[in-house]
Amino acid sequence: MAVFVLAGAAPSLRAEGRGEGAPTCSLRFVWTELPPYQTLGTDGKPAGIDIELVEEVGRRMTCVIQWELAPRPRALLLVQEGKVDAVVGVARTAEREAYGTFSHPVREGRNVMIVRKGATSQFVFRSLTDLADSQFRLGVVLGSRYSQEFEDLTRSGALADNVIPVQNGESAMAMLMRDRIDGFLDGYRIALARAAQLGLTEDVEVHPMFVNEHKAFALFSRSANVDPATITRFNAVLLGMQADGTITRIQSNYGS
């Protein structure tokens, strides 16, 4: 059962007390536990790359940022229903464009395949198409969008004999260690952060096979009636942060 929890609910008022005037807007963002992008900090408040990026945008906009925690499927539903204003760190899809407005890209990232240490030489694949012609057991979180190639192969049924459903990244890592799957798809930073948290850094490796490179966005709810001028300002500040190196600096704080 998905649990909807309010975390870090106190408004972010970092814009105040810096000579930047009273807040000019308020935005309710929903976040999901996906370290190092989104996680709970030691102070009990949301932290991580995406959180810092949005907080900095809010500071420069003199906009109050509020955070609510929910699993990703629930988070997207909250945006669709207009119960929150936005979600951050999501991929752009036609389905989501039907109920929301995407920001400029917040950051870039890549999806990879994680295998057991030393297994790369055993599974010589250049692409998911190569993998589909093998007996490789691929852990996949159902409903996830890893790449266009993955979508096409799934739609055609080419991966039907390879895919092993997993509940989430944690269960995928556990199944990999128990030899119940041969590898799984995940975000590069997310997978390595999870391996470190579980003490498995020396037990897994990133397969060199290309999966995809992607951009992550903030998605603003149309049902929440977010002022278009606020979204325009959000985008302008985001572009400024990209130009002055702030986005690169924040990401570098969490490793290469």
Side-chain angles (χ1 to χ4, degrees), residues 68-208:
E68 297 183 10
L69 171 66
R72 180 51 57 82
R74 173 66 176 161
L76 290 168
L77 183 61
L78 290 171
V79 172
Q80 185 173 2
E81 293 177 344
K83 294 179 179 178
V84 296
D85 295 319
V87 62
V88 63
V90 297
R92 188 169 198 154
T93 69
E95 176 188 0
R96 294 166 185 172
E97 285 180 330
Y99 60 81
T101 300
F102 282 96
S103 69
H104 288 309
V106 175
R107 55 172 169 79
E108 296 183 353
R110 63 185 173 117
N111 289 327
V112 297
M113 185 167 73
I114 302 298
V115 297
R116 287 182 294 278
K117 196 77 168 182
T120 293
S121 59
Q122 178 184 353
F123 302 111
V124 184
F125 306 129
R126 292 172 299 176
S127 67
L128 285 170
T129 300
D130 289 347
L131 184 150
D133 291 329
S134 74
Q135 299 300 312
F136 190 91
R137 299 166 298 170
L138 181 66
V140 167
V141 178
L142 295 183
S144 296
R145 294 173 171 83
Y146 299 105
S147 69
Q148 187 59 53
E149 182 186 25
F150 175 81
E151 293 290 312
D152 294 341
L153 291 171
T154 300
R155 192 176 301 110
S156 70
L159 283 173
D161 294 334
N162 303 100
V163 167
I164 305 293
V166 297
Q167 184 176 4
N168 49 43
E170 288 77 10
S171 62
M173 193 73 77
M175 291 173 70
L176 181 66
M177 291 298 97
R178 295 170 186 163
D179 196 25
R180 292 174 58 188
I181 58 175
D182 298 311
F184 65 92
L185 301 177
D186 206 345
Y188 175 75
R189 286 179 182 267
I190 293 171
L192 294 189
R194 183 180 298 115
Q197 184 179 36
L198 297 173
L200 298 174
T201 299
E202 300 302 319
D203 299 299
V204 299
E205 63 188 20
V206 177
H207 193 282

